[in-house]
Amino acid sequence: MSRTARNATVGIATAVALTFGITACGSSGGDDVAADEKQTITVWAMGAEGEKLTDVAEEYTKANPNITVKVTPVGWDVAHQKLVSAAAAGTLPDVAQMGGSYMGEFAELGVLEPVDTKTFDKKDYFPAGWSQGEVDGQAYGVPWYVDTRVLYYRTDLAEKAGVTEAPSNWKEMQELATAYQKKAGTKWGLSIQPSGLDTVQNFYSFLYSAGGEIVNDKGEAVIDSPEAVKALEEYGSYFDKGLSNKSVQPGYDVVKDFGNGRVPMFFGGPWHVTLLNEGQPQIKGKWAVANVPADKSSVSMAGGSSLVISKDSEHKAAAKEFIKYLTDTKGQADWYERTKDLPANTAAWASGDLADDTNLQVFKKQMDTAKSSPSLSNWTEITDKVDQAIAKVTQGKASAEDALKTAQSEIEGLVK
């Protein structure tokens, strides 16, 4: 991400810095304690990962008795505010889990230690996973786990509709959605979100596969490009043709409708595999996953989390060793077994279930081309403008071209 693009984060970052007295370049943590000295390192991890990491930390301490790892689980709902407050007070933990949407803001505040690229080699990780931890070409986070979206589809209902292979492009996907309705009797053809918060997450598979972007690598808004318009026209056509539901209630659970056959296709993440296996056992062997159907290419969104070290930490050497333990091949394979989070380290996919499971290999192939969002601290505000444009199209209130022209104008004001 260029300096031009990063300027969008300066306003928010500077406001926080002025409010709390954080200097622009961060402060020194003093002398760093050697990794082999007796010490305690503090770690904040979010959500379910925070709970699971406690067990890993205990095992690490047994193998490294000079190091005590104190893990504090933090809810995602309070994570951002807790990190901001700690940055202001100079009390960030030695190591913290951080999503890509936070990275730009905290890098701009100068409270993160740059990644030691002699220890952590970007070639060992999925490109999209590594880029989530980068700001202005500088890496601040080491990829911990990754996430992407693929197409889930009912194979039994596809066969009933006369289709025996997964759709590989837009034309085939819409043909299958139509066949599901007309020949297999499903209520809908494809479940994609019509409106509301984070509708853009369903749209990314269309936008990126068409070669479009919201903000390019020069920091320019480009959501009104011909590629983006084409993607939104395709997305909106599912609603125009009655293949997708225009009215979806908040909290809607697609897994249930996938199980009962009302919805035969949806874009989902790796956690849906477990939800389907455990919650919809009646369709075992009757569904599969496939890579995102392509326009120019098959490209999905990339998500996940990175691990960062506080610039003020006096335990950087030990913190780096712990992160190395979590992100090497063995640690990544172990973490997958504990959490089912997809490894960010590509070597971890070479053995065990990660190598043998055909569904998991679909996710790996998708991650090879997945695209991460720019590290802009106001990214949520930017994507909200795209959410609004999508809703106008799905509800028949504007053409894709007009809706994206409006979004372009609004987003241009946010990236200047």
Side-chain angles (χ1 to χ4, degrees), residues 64-133:
N64 301 271
N66 61 307
I67 304 293
T68 298
V69 180
K70 182 180 179 182
V71 178
T72 301
V74 179
W76 277 113
D77 57 334
V78 298
H80 180 263
Q81 185 56 50
K82 189 173 177 68
L83 286 166
V84 168
S85 297
T91 57
L92 280 171
D94 298 302
V95 177
Q97 175 184 359
M98 187 166 287
S101 62
Y102 296 175
M103 201 66 67
E105 178 180 0
F106 288 90
E108 194 70 43
L109 288 173
V111 296
L112 302 181
E113 181 73 6
V115 170
D116 177 2
T117 54
K118 293 182 180 179
T119 300
F120 303 100
D121 191 335
K122 67 184 296 183
K123 294 194 300 292
D124 293 336
Y125 305 91
F126 287 110
W130 184 267
S131 67
Q132 288 183 81

Side-chain angles (χ1 to χ4, degrees), residues 148-396:
T148 191
R149 304 293 187 272
V150 298
L151 182 70
Y152 285 73
Y153 73 106
R154 286 284 297 267
T155 53
D156 59 334
L157 297 175
E159 290 176 5
K160 187 176 180 181
V163 179
T164 58
E165 295 184 0
S168 62
N169 55 50
W170 284 2
K171 181 175 181 291
E172 291 176 358
M173 182 166 65
Q174 190 155 132
E175 286 175 347
L176 179 55
T178 303
Y180 273 134
Q181 279 189 326
K182 293 184 176 179
K183 298 180 180 179
T186 64
K187 175 66 175 176
W188 306 107
L190 172 69
S191 177
I192 47 178
Q193 195 170 332
S195 59
L197 181 65
D198 287 336
T199 302
V200 69
Q201 293 202 10
N202 269 191
F203 180 55
Y204 279 138
S205 295
F206 291 80
L207 177 66
Y208 293 156
S209 292
E213 296 178 287
I214 299 174
V215 176
N216 65 19
D217 59 6
K218 296 179 181 179
E220 302 163 337
V222 288
I223 192 58
D224 65 345
S225 70
E227 293 83 0
V229 171
K230 181 182 180 182
L232 188 50
E233 286 175 343
E234 180 70 15
Y235 193 92
S237 71
Y238 281 87
F239 299 91
D240 292 340
K241 297 175 181 179
L243 295 169
S244 297
N245 191 353
K246 288 185 177 183
S247 179
V248 176
Q249 296 300 315
Y252 169 69
D253 181 13
V254 71
V255 170
K256 181 178 179 181
D257 275 351
F258 190 72
N260 64 33
R262 284 172 56 86
V263 168
M265 286 195 296
F266 71 96
F267 291 102
W271 63 89
H272 283 110
V273 172
T274 301
L275 291 176
L276 289 170
N277 287 338
E278 295 180 356
Q280 304 295 325
Q282 77 280 6
I283 59 169
K284 183 178 181 180
K286 299 179 180 179
W287 61 272
V289 296
N291 292 118
V292 167
D295 178 40
K296 287 184 177 179
S297 57
S298 172
V299 185
S300 188
M301 63 170 285
S305 283
S306 299
L307 295 168
V308 302
I309 295 176
S310 167
K311 198 174 188 69
D312 285 343
S313 171
E314 295 181 353
H315 307 277
K316 293 185 181 74
K320 183 169 66 175
E321 288 301 310
F322 184 56
I323 292 176
K324 184 177 178 182
Y325 175 82
L326 294 176
T327 61
D328 68 14
T329 303
K330 184 178 178 181
Q332 290 271 279
D334 175 68
W335 188 244
Y336 170 75
E337 290 301 321
R338 294 173 184 273
T339 65
K340 302 307 177 186
D341 287 341
L342 301 182
N345 188 321
T346 56
W349 291 78
S351 61
D353 289 345
L354 288 160
D356 300 334
D357 189 303
T358 55
N359 285 334
L360 289 173
Q361 284 298 307
V362 171
F363 281 97
K364 181 180 185 299
K365 183 178 179 182
Q366 197 69 71
M367 273 305 306
D368 287 335
T369 61
K371 186 177 178 63
S372 59
S373 299
S375 296
L376 297 172
S377 61
N378 61 346
W379 188 246
T380 299
E381 188 178 0
I382 289 169
T383 57
D384 179 63
K385 305 304 181 185
V386 183
D387 288 343
Q388 293 175 34
I390 297 168
K392 291 176 184 176
V393 173
T394 64
Q395 304 307 305

Side-chain angles (χ1 to χ4, degrees), residues 26-49:
S27 60
S28 172
D31 294 334
D32 191 26
V33 179
D36 59 356
E37 292 187 32
K38 191 171 183 62
Q39 60 195 290
T40 296
I41 60 173
T42 55
V43 182
W44 287 1
M46 318 314 178
E49 281 77 20

